[in-house]
Amino acid sequence: MMNELIDRLHVEQCYLVVLHDGHIRTFKGRGVRRLYNLMSDEPELFLKAKIADKAVGHSAAELMVNGGVSEVYADYMSEQAYETLKNAGIRVSYGKKVDHERFLEIWVMLGEINE
């Protein structure tokens, strides 16, 4: 099932794909801001959900842990995010795991932060 989420992430060029209770939803809003808003508005969406995301850093990982996510894939994942998710018992996979400095460069590339 995670492969289907990853395919949607790439084919539909979205930033976040969530599988919850048998339903897949895609989101175009970027990164941790979008994740935070969803957690605030629809916290139930993340309970035991599977997530595919473009880039997961430490803050996003913390939100996912607090939301009760069961599995996470990210094209780019920071080392801190990986450790946070693994330590919480969440199944984790990624395209590329990077250090914090490289993760910030990726965020600039994705338009999350300005240089």
Side-chain angles (χ1 to χ4, degrees), residues 28-76:
K28 299 283 184 183
R30 292 189 178 126
V32 74
R33 284 174 279 189
R34 181 64 165 143
L35 190 61
Y36 177 80
N37 290 338
L38 284 168
M39 289 289 287
S40 297
D41 298 341
E42 302 178 61
E44 68 282 353
L45 179 63
F46 296 97
L47 187 60
K48 298 182 182 175
K50 295 178 189 256
I51 292 180
D53 201 330
K54 286 283 186 194
V56 174
H58 185 258
S59 296
E62 287 288 339
L63 286 170
M64 292 173 185
V65 168
N66 292 336
V69 169
S70 67
E71 186 173 356
V72 176
Y73 166 84
D75 284 342
Y76 298 96

Side-chain angles (χ1 to χ4, degrees), residues 6 16 43 47 65 75 77-78 93 114:
I6 295 166
L16 176 68
L47 187 60
V65 168
D75 284 342
M77 182 170 293
S78 74
S93 58
N114 297 321

Side-chain angles (χ1 to χ4, degrees), residues 65 69-71 82-92:
V65 168
V69 169
S70 67
E71 186 173 356
Y82 177 82
E83 292 302 322
T84 298
L85 295 166
K86 285 302 270 186
N87 290 340
I90 296 172
R91 187 172 177 186
V92 182

